[in-house]
Amino acid sequence: MKLGHVLESSLPVKIDLHLYGSTELKRAARFWAGKEAYYFAKEKCLAALTRTMADGDIARRVLAGLTEKERQVLGIFARYGPTVSGGLLTAELYTRGIIPPPPKNLASDSYYQAQREWRDRDPVPGLREKLILVSSYYDSYYSSYDRHRYPQLTLHPTLAQGVAPAPPITWHASHACAEAVSTGHRSSAQVGLDLWRVAEVLRSMGTWQTVKGDSPAKAARARLRKEVGLRDAEKDPMSPPDAESFYYELLHSMDLLKIGDKRSWIHQEALERHLQQPPAGQARQWVRAWLHMPLWQDGIGVVPDRDGQYDSVRIEPSGLANARELLAWALCGVAHAPSCWLHLETFLRDLWQKTRETEINFYWWNYSWDPEFEMGKKREQYPAGDQRMLAFWLAAEAVWAANAVMVTLPTLGLVERGQATGKDAHPCFRLTELGRVVFGAPEVEAAPKPVDGRFLTVQPNLEVVAYLDSADARQVCTLSRFAASASRADSPVQTFELRRDSLYRALESGMTLKEVRAFLAEHGKTELPANVERILSEWAGRRESLVLRTKTVLALGPLDSQTRGRALNNNVFLLPSSTAKIVALGFSGWTILDHEGKPERTWTTDELGSVVPDSRTSISQLRLARIADRTTTGWQITAQSLGRARQSGMTSEQILAWLGDHVKGGVPPLLEVAVRNWTSRQGVQLRQVQMLRILQPQAQQALLHSPTFRPLLAGHIPPEWFLIHDDHLSEVRRLLETLGFAIAESMDAPLVGAIQNPAKDSSPALPRIKPDRKRRREP
Amino acid sequence: MSRSAGEEQGGMRSSTDILDSLLPLLQPEGRELHLNAAIVEVAEPAQLVELAANPRIRRFLMARLSETVALVDPGHAGEIEAALLAAGHTPKVLTGDGE
């Protein structure tokens, strides 16, 4: 499989000549259509340009007329796609020596002369003037006294066919690095497995809520973290921060998630297609996804999709995209150099040097891993000039780059990291074989691997030991479809377990037992143990012995001779489930019951549970038989009938839902209370109490807050009723008389329904009579 | 419905008798066509006895359609699937009459 360049542009080419002014069009038309076009009106210029730019012969003539430098510029566009970002173009032009570095000495008398001469040697403005390279009209040419960066430009598509791509650039490290120790890298299968695990949890969630920028909401992130449990930067600074979210954003960036307005879900088929690709094809997509992943940032983790008003909450996304592109560009150069270890600091210094005109420049300070470069630590000691700028860069942006090179890209299996040998253990890295293929494409291709594919051992205790270095992602993901992962360590040797539920999930997702057996046999280093084979067959057999069929069509009654169906009983038939066919068959005279629709309300009931149904359909009769006893006039719901229903597992909510479905006009509230009482034994307390009624609000408050009265009161029904302990009745009477209250022996109690219960009126020190806090469930 | 002489004498109840008490046979009074119905099919009547004896599963079963097939309470296919899984069963879930 030949890969395209990892930085290949996928932007659609859009050239709108109408956006140009008449002078610009005339200049271009003169080049494309001939000198006379300079005198054309704007519309005629547009017509001439449209015609000539579509003409293949004219395109060949245009290309033949270009200078060598101009052809070299176009070669860059042929290498990276018709559109090239300003940052990449700038780095390429300087590194290839197509233009020399701009003059820097502002204080020199000859600066302006040198600047003018330097500009005259730049082939890009001329190509833009001829509309060979076109840009978005509003994309300004960025140039200042100390930097000269180009805008994003597109090579005119008619010309793109006839231009040879520029050759790859080879990275030359300014200082060599000897061998490395403590090295480590991940296989593509490990990455694929992590991606699969995150996707599996998302799939098991079905849908989840997202926040701005399509990131998962807090609850979804917490669940991902709990159920996937990848090692992250909190435990190990050399692991990515918010590791599960990193994979989530990869899936999102690869368009494998479907993000809805309120809920999101995973595009399972597209994910499986992705995982079926060869490792290098998958890895190339991971890198391209990472390049355009704004809400997970290297060394930082998940960031919000907004910028803080006063404080920085993330690296500005366009600055980060530029930085990632330039870093990937540098690694493309590394992929074309002989494979060797690179000192991280040396590499980053070289990167700064090569990208000075379009530098990686943004503001952030707090990364999960800080390599603490010596020069960065001493930045304040450098005098103004290049060294000081480099020192400050090494203390800030280079830390981001270090996290990308030493954490993010190793996580994706593209970089191997280690420690340089010597007295100081400096971090160093090199591209893995996979990394060389991805960053070296299209020139570097994956070496054909000997086909073996035996990467696992099935043990009699149902454990599967998988050697991920010998597997690819699609094989490991297939294994994890029917075997549960038993180890969470980030190791190239992983243990899985064959479990009844894991096999069941695989079979439910469409795999067959035969496929499972064949996979284990094909990839097993040893034969499948006989007991494992037997257990797998038994588990699969159990599934076959219990079938839940949904959305079936059942005919309860004798069928005519033309209707075909499977007889479940003498009088019950399972029919083909096409609704259209049912209509065509014409079951006139039959009662149609749709189990997905609401049943007809045909029950009449009173408060005491007497039910009279108007309909005798089977569902209505079966439900009544479950919850009620038959009487001479209909049915009667009783404590005993509901006790029977409870014994068969029914809950009060289920019973009330049935009543709500069938009873005309809704369930009488008293019957609902009775159903709850009969099914859950809700108790009430009934006993004799002594009550004191005080009408004056001032006296009520005085009594409530009185240290003398408080021990004598048993409760308070706000605002005017007080409960008195039996044994304190005479004492209360004596106190009230002493305090001048006239005590009436008879009491005018209010009617039921007139009693209000403003609990806020009473003292918290006394027990209040509170309203029922259980909210009544709506039917 | 009828018990064999041997079972009567030995005091043993057939699975049909047990099923009758746990999950009665559906006997509709008229001709009915049920659309979008969910059913549970098992290989042996004893399995249906096992399911009907479990209140957490029985609550979603309406009636027996045969010795090995039960009708699910309308609108509760998802719940019975969850209940079966929770009880350690591994039901093959199919849509319609297909295999």
Side-chain angles (χ1 to χ4, degrees):
Chain A
M1 180 186 183
K2 199 173 178 76
L3 299 181
H5 199 289
V6 74
L7 294 176
E8 193 173 61
S9 168
S10 56
L11 293 170
V13 176
K14 191 179 174 190
I15 297 171
D16 189 353
L17 294 176
H18 291 87
L19 294 173
Y20 289 85
S22 55
T23 310
E24 290 163 305
L25 290 173
K26 276 182 183 179
R27 271 198 215 117
R30 192 178 169 189
F31 173 73
W32 286 86
K35 286 180 183 174
E36 67 280 7
Y38 198 72
Y39 301 101
F40 289 174
K42 185 175 180 181
E43 287 307 313
K44 203 171 173 185
C45 270
L46 279 170
L49 278 170
T50 305
R51 177 177 50 78
T52 52
M53 283 178 155
D55 189 323
D57 289 339
I58 294 176
R60 277 189 287 280
R61 181 180 58 77
V62 164
L63 287 173
L66 295 178
T67 66
E68 180 55 31
K69 288 230 170 199
E70 285 173 328
R71 266 198 288 273
Q72 282 181 316
V73 173
L74 299 197
I76 295 169
F77 287 82
R79 180 165 183 79
Y80 295 103
T83 299
V84 176
S85 73
L88 179 59
L89 178 62
T90 308
E92 281 272 318
L93 287 171
Y94 287 112
T95 305
R96 290 179 186 277
I98 296 172
I99 51 171
K104 291 288 179 192
N105 189 359
L106 287 169
S108 163
D109 291 342
S110 60
Y111 172 76
Y112 293 104
Q113 174 70 20
Q115 175 80 2
R116 226 179 358 260
E117 285 173 9
W118 175 82
R119 282 189 188 282
D120 289 344
R121 293 167 68 183
D122 183 354
V124 175
L127 291 168
R128 293 186 68 192
E129 199 174 278
K130 293 167 188 162
L131 293 186
I132 291 173
L133 295 180
V134 288
S135 67
S136 162
Y137 190 73
Y138 299 104
D139 194 356
S140 62
Y141 181 95
Y142 179 80
S143 182
S144 68
Y145 283 115
D146 62 340
R147 284 201 195 95
H148 303 272
R149 187 185 164 181
Y150 297 91
Q152 176 178 292
L153 293 170
T154 302
L155 172 61
H156 197 286
T158 314
L159 302 172
Q161 301 294 325
V163 181
I169 291 174
T170 303
W171 189 265
H172 298 287
S174 55
H175 293 289
C177 175
E179 279 307 293
V181 293
S182 307
T183 62
H185 74 278
R186 306 182 84 219
S187 67
S188 67
Q190 278 174 277
V191 186
L193 184 60
D194 286 349
L195 205 60
W196 173 262
R197 282 176 179 165
V198 171
E200 274 296 282
V201 174
L202 291 173
R203 197 176 59 81
S204 71
M205 286 158 68
T207 61
W208 61 91
Q209 285 186 322
T210 55
V211 293
K212 191 169 174 240
D214 302 339
S215 291
K218 206 173 173 182
R221 275 175 63 189
R223 185 163 166 194
L224 278 174
R225 183 171 288 193
K226 185 181 170 193
E227 294 190 22
V228 183
L230 298 174
R231 178 190 287 259
D232 78 2
E234 282 179 13
K235 292 174 189 154
D236 170 18
M238 300 312 283
S239 294
D242 298 324
E244 294 81 13
S245 294
F246 169 59
Y247 288 104
Y248 178 94
E249 293 296 338
L250 268 187
L251 290 167
H252 182 219
S253 201
M254 288 191 290
D255 209 17
L256 299 178
L257 301 181
K258 295 286 174 194
I259 308 293
D261 285 344
K262 290 184 179 169
R263 294 278 179 175
S264 306
W265 64 100
I266 192 151
H267 192 336
Q268 190 68 25
E269 286 174 14
L271 173 66
E272 287 183 11
R273 275 199 303 275
H274 170 75
L275 292 168
Q276 289 303 314
Q277 291 180 62
Q282 290 180 44
R284 179 176 182 271
Q285 285 194 27
W286 303 335
V287 176
R288 287 175 69 80
W290 167 72
L291 288 168
H292 305 288
M293 187 197 290
L295 300 185
W296 185 93
Q297 303 193 334
D298 315 272
I300 302 170
V302 173
V303 295
D305 188 23
R306 61 178 167 79
D307 290 307
Q309 198 171 358
Y310 302 108
D311 295 324
S312 202
V313 293
R314 61 174 183 173
I315 298 173
E316 198 280 314
S318 66
L320 182 67
N322 174 55
R324 282 175 172 160
E325 187 180 44
L326 290 174
L327 181 59
W329 168 79
L331 292 172
C332 291
V334 172
H336 286 103
S339 177
C340 66
W341 290 94
L342 295 167
H343 271 297
L344 178 64
E345 186 172 347
T346 303
F347 170 77
L348 294 176
R349 283 164 178 252
D350 292 345
L351 176 64
W352 181 78
Q353 196 63 42
K354 285 178 194 293
T355 58
R356 283 191 66 184
E357 300 304 326
T358 180
E359 71 179 6
I360 294 170
N361 180 10
F362 44 69
Y363 178 66
W364 190 260
W365 66 98
N366 187 17
Y367 296 96
S368 54
W369 176 61
D370 188 348
E372 298 187 335
F373 297 124
E374 204 56 37
M375 192 173 178
K377 283 197 279 186
K378 295 176 181 167
R379 58 191 179 278
E380 298 290 357
Q381 297 172 15
Y382 289 89
D386 283 354
Q387 288 298 296
R388 184 177 172 87
M389 285 170 68
L390 172 59
F392 269 83
W393 190 80
L394 283 172
E397 289 91 340
V399 183
W400 164 81
N403 275 275
V405 173
M406 300 298 281
V407 180
T408 308
L409 296 175
T411 300
L412 293 177
L414 300 159
V415 165
E416 181 176 9
R417 63 189 174 209
Q419 298 283 332
T421 51
K423 59 179 181 180
D424 297 320
H426 293 298
C428 62
F429 74 95
R430 67 180 176 186
L431 292 176
T432 59
E433 194 185 329
L434 183 68
R436 292 184 76 77
V437 172
V438 170
F439 288 111
E443 289 82 5
V444 180
E445 291 185 54
K449 275 190 172 178
V451 181
D452 179 13
R454 295 186 183 276
F455 73 95
L456 57 87
T457 305
V458 184
Q459 300 183 148
N461 65 355
L462 299 172
E463 281 187 356
V464 181
V465 181
Y467 301 88
L468 303 191
D469 274 341
S470 311
D472 62 36
R474 55 188 155 177
Q475 292 165 341
V476 176
C477 293
T478 304
L479 173 63
S480 62
R481 282 183 69 184
F482 62 84
S485 177
S487 53
R488 285 190 168 186
D490 187 22
S491 158
V493 182
Q494 296 267 322
T495 306
F496 292 80
E497 275 177 13
L498 292 168
R499 295 183 193 152
R500 190 173 157 195
D501 60 335
S502 61
L503 178 71
Y504 170 69
R505 274 198 302 274
L507 297 178
E508 278 297 296
S509 72
M511 265 188 114
T512 63
L513 178 64
K514 197 176 166 187
E515 286 169 341
V516 171
R517 274 203 200 115
F519 182 88
L520 293 173
E522 185 187 349
H523 299 291
K525 289 172 180 282
T526 56
E527 272 191 18
L528 188 62
N531 71 315
V532 173
E533 188 152 2
R534 183 174 48 73
I535 290 169
L536 291 177
S537 300
E538 187 187 314
W539 287 343
R542 280 201 201 179
R543 174 175 169 269
E544 294 293 329
S545 72
L546 174 55
V547 179
L548 172 62
R549 285 185 192 277
T550 60
K551 296 184 183 293
T552 64
V553 179
L554 296 171
L556 274 56
L559 291 183
D560 60 40
S561 56
Q562 292 173 339
T563 308
R564 305 179 81 182
R566 174 155 72 92
L568 302 177
N569 201 346
N570 290 341
N571 215 24
V572 180
F573 299 88
L574 179 64
L575 302 185
S577 54
S578 163
T579 309
K581 281 181 187 171
I582 297 302
V583 173
L585 285 169
F587 280 80
S588 62
W590 288 56
T591 304
I592 310 285
L593 299 172
D594 187 350
H595 286 221
E596 287 186 349
K598 281 278 176 196
E600 211 178 336
R601 292 176 184 271
T602 56
W603 297 356
T604 307
T605 184
D606 62 15
E607 286 187 325
L608 299 178
S610 168
V611 183
V612 180
D614 293 348
S615 148
R616 301 185 68 82
T617 62
S618 57
I619 298 298
S620 169
Q621 294 295 96
L622 286 167
R623 283 181 166 177
L624 275 173
R626 285 288 287 280
I627 61 171
D629 292 322
R630 207 181 262 283
T631 64
T632 49
T633 54
W635 297 83
Q636 178 66 47
I637 300 173
T638 63
Q640 288 72 31
S641 69
L642 290 192
R644 212 172 50 237
R646 288 277 293 161
Q647 276 185 348
S648 72
M650 292 199 68
T651 61
S652 56
E653 298 308 326
Q654 201 178 350
I655 294 163
L656 287 169
W658 281 4
L659 289 169
D661 278 350
H662 291 275
V663 171
K664 294 177 189 171
V667 186
L670 195 62
L671 179 59
E672 182 179 335
V673 171
V675 168
R676 290 189 191 282
N677 290 342
W678 289 332
T679 51
S680 61
R681 294 271 168 224
Q682 298 207 26
V684 293
Q685 291 177 0
L686 181 65
R687 66 184 170 96
Q688 229 167 2
V689 290
Q690 302 293 337
M691 295 187 76
L692 167 67
R693 187 183 189 195
I694 300 176
L695 293 171
Q696 300 93 333
Q698 194 184 359
Q700 291 163 5
Q701 291 304 311
L703 226 72
L704 273 173
H705 298 101
S706 160
T708 308
F709 272 94
R710 190 174 292 169
L712 311 176
L713 300 177
H716 177 216
I717 306 172
E720 63 208 49
W721 294 93
F722 295 83
L723 309 186
I724 312 294
H725 286 300
D726 279 350
D727 47 352
H728 295 312
L729 186 62
S730 56
E731 194 178 351
V732 171
R733 181 186 293 275
R734 185 182 57 76
L735 277 170
L736 289 170
E737 283 171 349
T738 307
L739 292 167
F741 286 97
I743 301 173
E745 291 299 333
S746 63
M747 203 171 270
D748 301 324
L751 288 170
V752 172
I755 295 176
Q756 298 298 311
N757 191 12
K760 61 183 166 57
D761 293 346
S762 67
S763 163
L766 280 174
R768 298 166 185 157
I769 309 302
K770 294 177 182 174
D772 183 8
R773 285 192 177 178
K774 280 189 179 174
R775 194 176 294 168
R776 182 176 290 172
R777 189 183 164 90
E778 293 299 323
Chain B
M1 294 279 188
S2 61
R3 289 179 219 172
S4 70
E7 285 170 347
E8 291 279 10
Q9 285 168 5
M12 288 179 66
R13 297 172 72 194
S14 70
S15 60
T16 307
D17 293 337
I18 300 169
L19 268 175
D20 279 339
S21 62
L22 288 172
L23 191 64
L25 190 67
L26 176 63
Q27 290 168 326
E29 295 185 15
R31 293 181 302 170
E32 291 178 358
L33 189 68
H34 289 240
L35 306 179
N36 297 307
I39 57 172
V40 171
E41 281 187 277
V42 292
E44 299 289 333
Q47 277 178 282
L48 206 52
V49 173
E50 187 191 348
L51 299 182
N54 183 340
R56 289 175 193 277
I57 295 169
R58 172 67 179 90
R59 73 172 61 148
F60 301 117
L61 295 177
M62 283 269 77
R64 210 166 87 238
L65 298 176
S66 74
E67 301 304 282
T68 55
V69 183
L71 180 67
V72 176
D73 186 26
H76 290 90
E79 283 92 336
I80 200 168
E81 184 187 348
L84 288 167
L85 290 172
H89 298 284
T90 48
K92 183 174 181 176
V93 182
L94 298 174
T95 303
D97 59 327
E99 275 303 312

